[in-house]
Amino acid sequence: MNASFATMWAELAPIGRDARTGGYRRLAWTPAERECRSWFYGQAQSRGLIVDADGNGNEVAWWFPDGAPAIGGVVTGSHLDSVPDGGGYDGPLGIVSAFAAIDQLRSRGVLPTRPIGVAAFADEEGSRFGIACLGSRLLTGAVDADRAAALRDGDGRSLPDAMRDAGFDHQLGESQLLGGVAAFVELHVEQGRALADVDAAVGIATEIWPHGRWRFDIDGEANHAGTTPLSDRHDPMLTYAETALATRKKALLAGAVATFGRIEVLPNAANAIPSCVRAWLDARAPDESTLHALIADLLAHAVRRADRDGTALQVTAESISPAVSFAGPLTDRIRRVLPVAPLLPTGAGHDAGILAAAGIPTAMLFVRNPTGISHAPAEAATETDCLAGVDALAGVFADLAV
Ligand code: HGY
Ligand code: MN
Ligand code: MN
């Protein structure tokens, strides 16, 4: 690894890492994520970059070259937070590569004619408060301050309280942090094996699949596991189990993906029929109509099962991300800079998708992940491919900002 990338990676790697699993716990506004923020400020300061932040916790470290205008900047970056027990590359690779790309441009004596920014968006994973890309959605106005202020984590802690706990003076709501920005290019570890399968270190994104998260609240009747006849039960676990099994079948038939990855059971006792099962569905599809048809079909199936079980079902859409296309002049321009980089879609959401939806010219680069695994400790990228990503990003910014 070149000095700057290797050094930064080594500094960031231990923060929030679970020694037992090797995974990362850098949930939004926790001490580990706060330590990552301090690292970000330190990197910016050591390069003489000027850090700007909005009241949502989004930050941009700016390189204002002498004589360059204050607006019309080009921005790169990603996020520092992780899913629980996530991989080390999802998010941080884009930020470490951004600082390393600036180092490379400077070592080559490249002097940009427009500002270059390194962004760190708050709470991209939505793992604590439920809405994916919360920081960038607040920034662009896609989520308003009232809705965000009402969010609670699993312990009932509100977003504003969690920000205050982290010593952050929040001011939730749409911000001008990226006002006047000409383009945003996010580099991200690939969350799949497409680049590995074609033996390419770096790829260019074509689109983000539409996706969303729905919360299933299933209320039943708590009772004794040993004395309640099966015929007298209203067991929400059965409604959930049938829905989860049907989900897999229906997603497969639809050419989509759907997952129940999080579940809460009350009272969660081995010898009590649950009173309530709360489960979160993550569903994604190649296009909007397939996704909407899958969700409608799934909900109808769950309602029928709830009727049969005598349980009450309520489904709430918590986080909806429409399809994003990166087709356009910016991606075309990047393709000219990286002519051999394969083009690939992704089923993973990104802040780039939120900015694109808000009208900011946006593109994405992917770096090969040999395992293809993400949101898990086995997520990986080789040193060589990471540096190929830095070279690609530096090349893109030398083209865009000079
Ligand atoms: O869930 C996603 O697709 C992203 O990693 N936040
Ligand atoms: Mn990510
Ligand atoms: Mn992620």
Side-chain angles (χ1 to χ4, degrees):
M1 283 189 180
N2 75 14
S4 83
F5 187 99
T7 309
M8 287 189 276
W9 202 255
E11 287 167 353
L12 205 48
I15 302 175
R17 187 171 183 275
D18 181 323
R20 202 172 36 81
T21 64
Y24 286 87
R25 293 179 181 279
R26 296 165 173 169
L27 270 64
W29 307 109
T30 60
E33 192 249 8
R34 195 171 161 195
E35 208 180 323
C36 291
R37 287 172 175 272
S38 308
W39 172 87
F40 179 85
Y41 269 92
Q43 292 303 320
Q45 279 168 345
S46 69
R47 292 171 175 78
L49 307 182
I50 297 166
V51 179
D52 192 7
D54 68 9
N56 306 303
N58 302 303
E59 299 159 332
V60 181
W62 285 106
W63 174 15
F64 288 116
D66 296 339
I71 63 161
V74 286
V75 178
T76 182
S78 191
H79 60 95
L80 292 166
D81 68 301
S82 75
V83 296
D85 217 29
Y89 294 84
D90 177 352
L93 181 62
I95 291 177
V96 173
S97 302
F99 285 126
I102 285 179
D103 295 347
Q104 189 183 114
L105 291 173
R106 286 175 167 177
S107 67
R108 284 164 42 191
V110 172
L111 195 57
T113 57
R114 54 173 78 223
I116 291 182
V118 178
F121 293 102
D123 199 359
E124 189 275 346
E125 295 295 359
S127 293
R128 186 172 174 189
F129 296 98
I131 296 180
C133 301
L134 183 58
S136 53
R137 287 183 206 254
L138 278 162
L139 185 155
T140 60
V143 164
D144 67 33
D146 292 344
R147 181 174 174 211
L151 295 172
R152 294 276 180 287
D153 68 7
D155 299 326
R157 199 89 185 119
S158 74
L159 172 64
D161 286 345
M163 295 170 97
R164 257 190 298 277
D165 296 346
F168 185 80
D169 181 17
H170 69 278
Q171 183 69 41
L172 297 173
E174 195 167 351
S175 85
Q176 286 312 308
L177 185 67
L178 297 183
V181 157
F184 175 70
V185 181
E186 179 168 3
L187 179 145
H188 203 283
V189 66
E190 190 200 342
Q191 294 163 303
R193 281 191 45 84
L195 290 176
D197 292 344
V198 296
D199 192 21
V202 175
I204 300 171
T206 54
E207 62 185 278
I208 296 176
W209 278 17
H211 57 285
R213 299 180 195 181
W214 289 262
R215 193 187 73 242
F216 284 59
D217 293 301
I218 311 169
D219 290 305
E221 194 173 281
N223 209 327
H224 195 296
T227 57
T228 311
L230 294 181
S231 56
D232 290 356
R233 296 183 180 207
H234 302 292
D235 184 348
M237 192 62 90
L238 297 184
T239 308
Y240 160 71
E242 168 60 32
T243 302
L245 289 172
T247 294
R248 168 57 188 256
K249 232 179 285 174
K250 292 176 184 301
L252 188 63
L253 291 173
V257 289
T259 315
F260 278 99
R262 180 185 169 197
I263 181 171
E264 287 172 0
V265 182
L266 298 177
N268 209 24
N271 57 354
I273 301 166
S275 59
C276 169
V277 170
R278 192 160 294 137
W280 281 261
L281 168 70
D282 176 311
R284 314 193 187 203
D287 55 75
E288 303 278 1
S289 61
T290 302
L291 181 63
H292 295 152
L294 172 65
I295 294 302
D297 187 12
L298 266 179
L299 296 197
H301 191 96
V303 165
R304 285 193 297 275
R305 182 67 206 212
D307 287 347
R308 182 173 149 191
D309 295 328
T311 55
L313 169 68
Q314 186 175 355
V315 181
T316 309
E318 283 198 336
S319 176
I320 301 296
S321 304
V324 169
S325 167
F326 291 117
L330 177 59
T331 296
D332 292 345
R333 185 166 175 173
I334 290 174
R335 291 184 65 186
R336 287 192 292 274
V337 176
L338 307 170
V340 300
L343 301 174
L344 61 154
T346 181
H350 299 282
D351 292 307
I354 305 303
L355 301 188
I360 295 176
T362 299
M364 284 195 77
L365 300 180
F366 291 124
V367 170
R368 172 167 44 192
N369 172 346
T371 67
I373 294 172
S374 184
H375 285 188
E379 182 183 83
T382 66
E383 296 179 7
T384 310
D385 287 350
C386 290
L387 295 183
V390 172
D391 291 346
L393 193 60
V396 165
F397 275 76
D399 177 65
L400 290 176
V402 176

